Amino acid sequence: MVAADMTHRFLNLYNHDFARVAVGVPQCRVADPVYNAAQTIALAKQADAAGAVLVAFPELGIPAYSCEDLFQQRALLDACDAALADIVAASRELGAALIVGMPVRVQQRLFNCAVVVARGRIHGVVPKTYLPNYSEFYEARQFNAADDAGVDTVTLLGGDVPFGSLIFEAADQPLLRFHCEICEDVWVPVPPSSFAALAGATVLVNLSASNVVVGKSAYRHQLVGQQSARCLAAYLYTSAGQGESTTDLAWDGQALIYENGDMLAESARFASESHLIYADVDLERLARERMHQTTFGVSVRRHAGEVARFRTIQVDVTLPRDAELPLKRAIERFPYVPSDPRRRDERCHEVYNIQVQALMQRLASSKIQKVVIGVSGGLDSTHALLVCAKVMDRLGLPRTNILAYTMPGFATSERTLRQARELMDAVGCTAREIDIRPSCMQMLKDLDHPFAKGEAVYDVTFENVQAGERTNHLFRLANHLGAIVIGTGDLSELALGWCTYGVGDHMSHYNVNASVPKTLIMHLVRWVAETGQLGGAASAKPAKGGKEAGQHRNVLIDILETEISPELVPGKANGAPEQRTEHFIGPYELQDFNLYYTLRFGYAPRKVAFLSWSAWHDASTGRWPDEGHLARNAYDLIAIKRNLRIFLDRFFRTSQFKRSCIPNAPKVGTGGSLSPRGDWRAPSDSESVVWLADLDTVPDDPHA
């Protein structure tokens, strides 16, 4: 990784290993290199002013792709060289590298090439590897394929420049290593960019012309998206647009930018004017994915011969590190919960069914048909109960095989007790209520605790006696009734160590929620209700004559709107809880954000803070993953730092010993498990000092 220079601006994407890249779709004129170069230069200047470090243009864009046999005319070829000279001259004043397409003469042969230009120099030329000679394309009529060259340098504009299989590396950012291929190259079974990625290229660029026919746009998306995902790379796809000859073909000018399978930008198709698209590519994400996916390294070794063909060329680009340059890339506030309604519905459907299938298998393999679960009237136990209900339905067992117990203690509020009762009734499980206060009082007496003598001492012992009694009852009930105990604790609590070791939400026979973060559980509960997963009274959609459904609709909504609290310390006289979880450990919406980028990508705190500010500093921008149910919160950088500090210290220093012995649980997402048998294996006695030191480099004012 490239360590950010702490003397540079915090609010600058380049100082957090991002790179702004652009794809230009210039209006062209067939066989008019002067005009086409002028359009290219204008877009290049525009992209450079916007902070882009790399700008790609279409295949054979200097003469226009559809010149056909005009490529054999010396006048046109000479004009292309002159136009390239204009582009090279213009690049002296630009910080970005430009990739343009043109025909290049090499020893009495002609090649369809990508030419890389930066700071007044040609840095290299990459010829097209695969020439289409079928359907409407007959490139082999005019051009030679890359393998026919037999040289590794070419004379262009009076100078010798590298030619062939090249990877270009930005001198000031070694993670920015880009490779060029041309149109058909990505349509073949094994594109040249696959080997370039193995050779270290993180950004793959395709200079394409690609005429348009029905269905081709969707196929380009599939092609580019999959290539970026397989190569763990960014992929920039250019395409010819307005001005190309329509003698037999039409052109839509579709440009795409993908990163590891995710689309970052797409151009308008059939545009009549020259235009650009931009994306801020996360170079560190790509590098870390390759480090994490060790089979990528195996592929490098297995294809060592192909990898060795590539030469690395240093490119003079100027990264605007000292300017204020915030991200244009949209950062999801809730990385575990897609903001797009369709994707959110898919996510909830998949996670819920993973949980259900996993518990079904555990019951089948253990030959047990009953489960015991503690129901508090809070969020986590509610969702775990909803999972249990669906499991019984799919197994063809009665929901009465769910043995649900609510166990009020010294601090249980009337609200959560009422919600627990209503929820169990709505689900149709076997509902029981056990007052744990007598057994807790006996334990406190045995401990000679001040509370047993009438003193209002609410220390950790007082809290954990209640948590322990609940767990003790659940396990003994499971023994007595031939059942297993279902855990309810979630991923966010495990990350922050917000669970009592060995008891409470920490311990069970099987925990369906252990890799589901709190923010996602909130949406899962609403989704289960609103999509009628359990039918009848457990649905948020009233049935016909919906009196019964209407009565129970509010219990799920009430639970979602209840302030999160462990309810272990008696509350205030007005019924408000004394303990507010988020007052101790910070807002779950921020801590889940911190967890995602720390666990999934291993980012340093400085970058996590940068991403968090980008996502959370303005509540009025960006999309929210709900239909008005969430509070529209915003956080300044001071608040982001304060809560990130809480997260880092708890995650790295104080909580691992609890995660080292958690029960079996299904993993529901990539990088979404803290099980020592899954995504996260760490020592229980590590320190947090290096993470906190990195956080200390973050200013209070992002504009400083």
Side-chain angles (χ1 to χ4, degrees), residues 28-43:
C28 72
R29 292 178 182 172
V30 178
D32 190 348
V34 173
Y35 177 85
N36 298 337
Q39 294 291 309
T40 297
I41 291 168
L43 289 181

Side-chain angles (χ1 to χ4, degrees), residues 330-341:
I331 303 296
E332 293 271 15
R333 292 177 174 88
F334 296 84
Y336 294 105
V337 186
S339 58
D340 176 72

Side-chain angles (χ1 to χ4, degrees), residues 73 225 276 326 339 352 362 415 480 507 580 592 611 690:
Q73 294 290 313
L276 287 160
S339 58
Y352 184 58
R362 179 49 53 97
R415 174 172 181 161
H480 182 56
M507 196 48 59
R580 292 177 169 83
D592 279 0
L611 293 171
V690 296

Side-chain angles (χ1 to χ4, degrees), residues 515-551:
S515 70
V516 187
K518 187 78 76 178
T519 49
L520 180 54
I521 284 187
M522 295 175 187
H523 288 272
L524 281 165
V525 170
R526 190 178 297 275
W527 177 85
V528 169
E530 292 182 348
T531 57
Q533 294 296 311
L534 301 180
S539 174
K541 293 183 177 179
K544 289 184 179 179
K547 180 178 179 181
E548 181 185 16
Q551 290 174 343

Side-chain angles (χ1 to χ4, degrees), residues 110-123:
L110 195 62
F111 293 84
N112 178 348
C113 294
V115 181
V116 176
V117 175
R119 305 299 290 178
R121 289 178 51 208
I122 299 172
H123 289 266

